[in-house]
Amino acid sequence: MKRTSCGLCHTVITNLTVKKSDIVIIEDININLTCGELTSIVGPNGAGKTTLLKALLGEIKHSGKLKYLNSAGQETDKPRIGYVPQHINFDRYAPISVYDLFAASLSRFPVCFRKSNKINNLIKNSLSKVNVEYAINRRLGELSGGELQKVLLALALEPVPEILLLDEPVSGVDKKGMELFYDMVSELRRNYDLTVLLVSHDLPLIAKYADRVILLNKKVLCEGTPKEVFSSPDFISTFGDYNIHF
Amino acid sequence: MLQNIYVILDKMLPFSWMQYTFMKNAFLAVILATPLFGLLGTMVVNNKMAFFSDSIGHSALTGIAVGIIAGIKQPLWSMIIFSVILSIAITFVKKSNISSPDTIIGVFSSASVALGVVVLSMGRWGGFNKYTSFLIGDLLGISEMEIIMLFATMAIAILLWFAIYNSLLVTSINTSLAASRGIKTFRAEMAFTLLIAVVVTVSIRWVGILLINSLLILPAASARNIARNTRQHAAYSIVIAFVSGIVGLFCSYYVGSAAGATIVLFSAIFFCISFIIGRIR
């Protein structure tokens, strides 16, 4: 399962533009991502961060291209994408267990008719990667915010994706929980050589964990290491002078 | 066509109330339809579509009206066509995010009820009284042909259920998450919406416009109070729907009440019991 870090896989996003009834949400986005790197997207509210992720997922109409090159130089425009949504707004009383969510995502036979041992073992194994295997038979609504995010992370990693998209993955989780989550993502990224794209508002955590930062406000305003971006004029005019020890 | 089944029913259930053909037909309709309603209801409840299925039931009035204007003797076909068109319209308007789904469904629902009542109440078509049987349904008047039709609908519904259930379940939790798994969320939701429209419309004649939605919602809502996963939800819902159906039909025979309403009343009792059990646990 483990892939060695190669740094040779590239995700190239070219000229990505999203319009909603003639209003431009994001325009002409050009981004290169390398495997094994955690890239964070920052920007003010309404900058189009979530829109960018949804365009990459193919959920909303966009122009422009997404291209993924693996280490052997093979090219595809449909890479396997793992996605961890923002704090999800589902019905907490719905009788849907962690097993149900996983099995419905991984198989076709209706999960309301049969529980498969094979899939059960696969899910347990998946959940153990993020230390929540005890939660397999719990209802989704019974999980704490931190547990739910770990479950969603485990789901995004099954099967191991080429690109992992994280949208504000730790909203509603305490600070310690956040750090645990990011430590986990960092480690998984190294183990599986993932390309990680993270949308977050938490600047100190980005400073600590991101390899690269992209400042987005309808367009890419600037990109580079956290230190470079945090000291750029565009960043300072958006977030103020942000004193962080690197 | 159903003679062989009647013979089997006579042998298995030698009760006085089963000796009439209309009771046998009603019994067959109940054992075919209630488990299906129980099963489909679980997804209707999880996807918060209760109001949608309610409005589809109400739209049957316009379906009947359209059929009468067009001179169709069997209004079932015009009802199905109208409910399918209505659900496609609702789904598209909902997708465009112009207004909240509740409001959109409310607008479509009230407009179609009004249109139906206006047309049917006109003296030219015999006045509204002629159509009141559609409001409370007539389970004992169900014909052989309608039972065969019900069976065919059920078979199609089960096939479609197998094809889209898992996709719908993930979509009900989060559409972006579903999209990331390669699920065509809009297609799955549309298929389910149409399925509900057809199943509800086919059953209107014998359950009635006022009660059809309760038959769909109550068993699934009751099961939800006590279920911890989708398997329990489906199993409890099917059992509750089935038992309410049989007991309701039986009681309505002895009390002389409308069968559809009696069945729904038993489902409501199950809801109260499961609600209390769910609270105590």
Side-chain angles (χ1 to χ4, degrees):
Chain A
M1 281 291 270
K2 276 190 184 180
R3 293 187 284 188
T4 49
S5 186
C6 65
L8 291 173
C9 324
H10 289 281
T11 306
V12 184
I13 300 163
T14 359
N15 298 332
L16 190 109
T17 299
V18 175
K19 285 182 189 169
K20 258 183 208 158
S21 51
D22 286 344
I23 299 164
V24 178
I25 313 280
I26 47 173
E27 190 176 18
D28 204 18
I29 308 287
N30 293 288
I31 299 174
N32 280 307
L33 304 167
T34 311
C35 62
E37 268 189 2
L38 197 159
T39 306
S40 179
I41 298 180
V42 295
N45 288 331
K49 303 182 295 273
T50 297
T51 303
L52 174 62
L53 293 194
K54 289 195 169 181
L56 295 178
L57 285 172
E59 206 193 343
I60 47 178
K61 263 192 195 164
H62 59 273
S63 58
K65 270 184 190 164
L66 168 68
K67 205 167 70 180
Y68 178 83
L69 287 155
N70 69 13
S71 53
Q74 288 156 333
E75 197 182 305
T76 168
D77 57 357
K78 283 210 168 58
R80 243 198 332 273
I81 296 180
Y83 172 67
V84 180
Q86 220 169 43
H87 189 65
I88 56 174
N89 212 353
F90 66 99
D91 179 354
R92 299 190 71 79
Y93 296 99
I96 301 172
S97 65
V98 172
Y99 170 91
D100 293 332
L101 171 62
F102 264 77
S105 303
L106 296 169
S107 63
R108 288 208 59 86
F109 193 89
V111 294
C112 65
F113 289 145
R114 186 184 67 187
K115 188 166 182 176
S116 146
N117 270 333
K118 202 176 130 200
I119 293 173
N120 198 53
N121 290 336
L122 178 84
I123 298 169
K124 262 197 183 149
N125 185 31
S126 244
L127 292 172
S128 68
K129 286 182 203 163
V130 293
N131 307 322
V132 283
E133 64 273 30
Y134 60 86
I136 187 163
N137 289 322
R138 295 214 184 146
R139 279 195 299 110
L140 292 177
E142 288 171 344
L143 303 177
S144 71
E147 284 169 333
L148 181 61
Q149 293 305 344
K150 285 184 195 171
V151 164
L152 293 171
L153 177 63
L155 180 61
L157 293 171
E158 191 63 57
V160 178
E162 282 148 347
I163 306 171
L164 180 63
L165 303 180
L166 307 168
D167 189 3
E168 301 270 17
V170 284
S171 49
V173 178
D174 57 52
K175 191 162 183 334
K176 194 158 173 272
M178 278 191 187
E179 290 193 345
L180 277 171
F181 183 84
Y182 280 115
D183 280 336
M184 207 167 259
V185 170
S186 274
E187 196 192 317
L188 290 164
R189 162 197 50 160
R190 273 188 286 273
N191 289 348
Y192 295 104
D193 200 23
L194 296 170
T195 303
V196 184
L197 192 61
L198 162 75
V199 166
S200 176
H201 274 116
D202 197 310
L203 299 172
L205 279 171
I206 291 171
K208 188 174 171 193
Y209 291 100
D211 300 304
R212 284 200 323 134
V213 175
I214 293 170
L215 175 59
L216 183 83
N217 194 357
K218 293 199 170 150
K219 295 175 183 181
V220 174
L221 295 181
C222 97
E223 59 176 302
T225 63
K227 202 174 175 180
E228 284 164 6
V229 172
F230 284 22
S231 57
S232 73
D234 282 322
F235 183 89
I236 292 166
S237 71
T238 312
F239 292 101
D241 202 347
Y242 206 81
N243 253 330
I244 269 194
H245 297 288
F246 287 98
Chain B
M1 218 185 290
L2 297 173
Q3 291 311 320
N4 294 334
I5 298 174
Y6 292 156
V7 173
I8 297 170
L9 283 180
D10 276 333
K11 283 197 178 137
M12 285 177 66
L13 300 160
F15 305 113
S16 61
W17 56 280
M18 273 297 263
Q19 60 188 309
Y20 305 105
T21 306
F22 65 84
M23 279 306 277
K24 288 194 183 90
N25 284 341
F27 181 79
L28 285 175
V30 164
I31 61 172
L32 280 176
T34 50
L36 178 65
F37 273 68
L39 185 63
L40 296 181
T42 59
M43 194 52 88
V44 173
V45 170
N46 279 352
N47 277 5
K48 302 199 177 67
M49 285 168 64
F51 190 34
F52 167 79
S53 51
D54 197 38
S55 77
I56 288 298
H58 289 147
S59 81
L61 274 178
T62 315
I64 299 163
V66 170
I68 286 167
I69 293 171
I72 303 172
K73 277 233 173 90
Q74 241 327 323
L76 182 62
W77 292 109
S78 60
M79 282 159 72
I80 290 179
I81 292 166
F82 184 75
S83 71
V84 163
I85 292 171
L86 185 73
S87 41
I88 292 174
I90 290 177
T91 314
F92 271 105
V93 177
K94 229 166 101 178
K95 200 192 174 208
S96 66
N97 271 335
I98 296 168
S99 158
S100 90
D102 256 16
T103 314
I104 292 162
I105 295 169
V107 168
F108 277 102
S109 173
S110 37
S112 65
V113 169
L115 181 61
V117 172
V118 164
V119 173
L120 294 179
S121 59
M122 279 154 62
R124 198 186 324 174
W125 315 113
F128 194 73
N129 285 346
K130 211 174 139 191
Y131 306 99
T132 43
S133 74
F134 277 99
L135 291 181
I136 54 168
D138 180 15
L139 179 55
L140 304 185
I142 195 164
S143 69
E144 268 189 57
M145 202 53 222
E146 282 168 315
I147 287 173
I148 292 163
M149 178 103 189
L150 198 60
F151 183 76
T153 313
M154 184 174 157
I156 295 167
I158 296 288
L159 282 179
L160 196 60
W161 184 259
F162 267 79
I164 62 174
Y165 179 81
N166 285 0
S167 301
L168 275 174
L169 189 71
V170 182
T171 308
S172 79
I173 294 165
N174 185 283
T175 46
S176 299
L177 179 65
S180 80
R181 313 293 311 189
I183 292 168
K184 304 271 181 275
T185 54
F186 184 69
R187 208 188 287 173
E189 283 184 318
M190 183 62 102
F192 186 63
T193 305
L194 294 182
L195 176 63
I196 293 298
V198 172
V199 170
V200 163
T201 310
V202 167
S203 312
I204 286 269
R205 244 272 293 147
W206 56 275
V207 192
I209 289 167
L210 292 177
L211 291 166
I212 186 80
N213 202 41
S214 328
L215 203 63
L216 195 59
I217 303 302
L218 274 175
S222 314
R224 202 178 138 93
N225 288 335
I226 44 176
R228 299 186 49 78
N229 56 49
T230 53
R231 284 161 300 290
Q232 288 178 359
H233 194 194
Y236 295 161
S237 181
I238 290 171
V239 170
I240 290 171
F242 189 73
V243 173
S244 312
I246 302 287
V247 178
L249 176 64
F250 176 76
C251 286
S252 73
Y253 175 80
Y254 283 104
V255 179
S257 55
T262 316
I263 291 171
V264 169
L265 212 51
F266 276 98
S267 299
I269 292 170
F270 273 112
F271 183 86
C272 297
I273 295 170
S274 70
F275 184 79
I276 293 164
I277 294 174
R279 274 298 154 105
I280 292 170
R281 274 213 304 224

